[in-house]
Amino acid sequence: MKSVRRTRGTPPPDAFEAAPGLRNPHLQTVVGRIVRRRPEPRYDRVRLDTDDGDFIDLDLWRGPEDPAGTCLLLHGLEGSARSGYMVTTSEALAAAGIQAVALNFRSCSGEPNRLPRAYHSGQTDDIERALAWVGERYPGVPRAAVGFSLGGNALLNLLGRDRSDRGLRAAAVISVPYDLAASAAALDRGPSRLYGRRFLRSLRAKAREKAARFPDAVAPGAASARTLREFDDLLTAPLHGFRDAADYYERCSSGQFVGSVTIPALLLHSRDDPLAPAASIPVDMIRRQPNLSLQLTERGGHLGFLGRGSGTGPRGWLEQTIAEYISAALSAARTASNAEGAQVVL
């Protein structure tokens, strides 16, 4: 069986082959998290005030002084700019001459936010604010974005809901839960319950902190929720304007929006993903879009993709796949822009 299946679009790099001893999806998922850890990422922090009186924190990689492009990185559930995959991808992008800017979703930057609201899989206003800042900070430099898991779902919401490119020339999303209800169900049963429990420990701790500061905004039972769906019912949904978890999942699942994305985009997913079932990927919809390139590997777990002979960290298969795709797409965008400028001069 082939190790990768993809649709049309900018060709991705070499097909993925799991490293020896790491063919199990749970090993890929867990070991991937371990080997990508970095003690002290080379970030500089910028804080942006939001229109509602809160803030978001951006972490800028200390990369090239004159970047050929910029790339906004969006982390997954209960991650941050310091998550291993965010750091190693920032390193790989910097090596390709691209300035990486990592957005910490609200409550994830290491400092409690000023308001009760946090973040969720369909929230896009903070992403838009971050993209606007990047455009102002690096005028005339082509922009891209990369979203991991929940961050990828939010990015597809942003790009697909109203078919706008948001000033981006390319995007990549990895291990996206295209069907949020299916992903929540996967995290509540079988071996994947271990991941669900890990997420819940962090989420419940934040719920306790929010309940102490904003007792009128947080349901008392949120801090003792037994499943992710129950947590979304008690906190995520009411805090962000949804009727319940089912309403939240239905309105924010990116599978319904991906076919409306208009820019070149790489969609990377493993068939054995234990957190975001590959069965929820709208493959037929994606295949109809020439700008979308679906790279569907047989193995790789969730945000794992530890390949044979590809090293780890910024030299890993996942990081190089992302960096090469984004670099090629931004280079094509610069060429097209230069050609348009030359026609205008003539």
Side-chain angles (χ1 to χ4, degrees), residues 20-154:
L22 293 177
R23 293 171 63 83
N24 181 283
H26 300 292
L27 286 176
Q28 280 279 337
T29 302
V30 174
V31 175
R33 179 171 177 268
I34 294 171
V35 300
R36 291 187 173 104
R37 288 174 179 166
R38 293 294 184 274
E40 189 57 42
R42 296 189 296 117
Y43 284 130
D44 291 319
R45 175 155 291 185
V46 174
R47 175 160 293 183
L48 307 182
D49 290 323
T50 60
D51 292 339
D52 60 359
D54 209 338
F55 66 86
I56 54 173
D57 286 329
L58 305 180
D59 285 330
L60 281 65
W61 191 259
R62 295 171 194 156
E65 294 184 2
D66 186 20
T70 63
C71 187
L72 181 70
L73 274 60
L74 310 171
H75 61 79
L77 181 62
E78 289 303 276
S80 73
R82 282 164 167 71
S83 295
Y85 54 83
M86 295 280 282
V87 175
T88 54
T89 301
S90 294
E91 291 179 302
L93 289 168
I98 298 169
Q99 175 64 57
V101 179
L103 168 62
N104 295 277
F105 290 125
R106 299 195 197 197
S107 81
C108 296
S109 69
E111 182 177 334
N113 280 80
R114 301 168 189 149
L115 300 179
R117 65 171 283 192
Y119 69 102
H120 61 78
S121 293
Q123 182 179 316
T124 59
D125 54 343
D126 289 343
I127 301 175
E128 292 181 80
R129 180 173 295 278
L131 286 173
W133 182 89
V134 172
E136 293 170 0
R137 174 65 177 80
Y138 301 96
V141 179
R143 284 174 282 168
V146 174
F148 298 91
S149 193
L150 175 148
N153 189 87

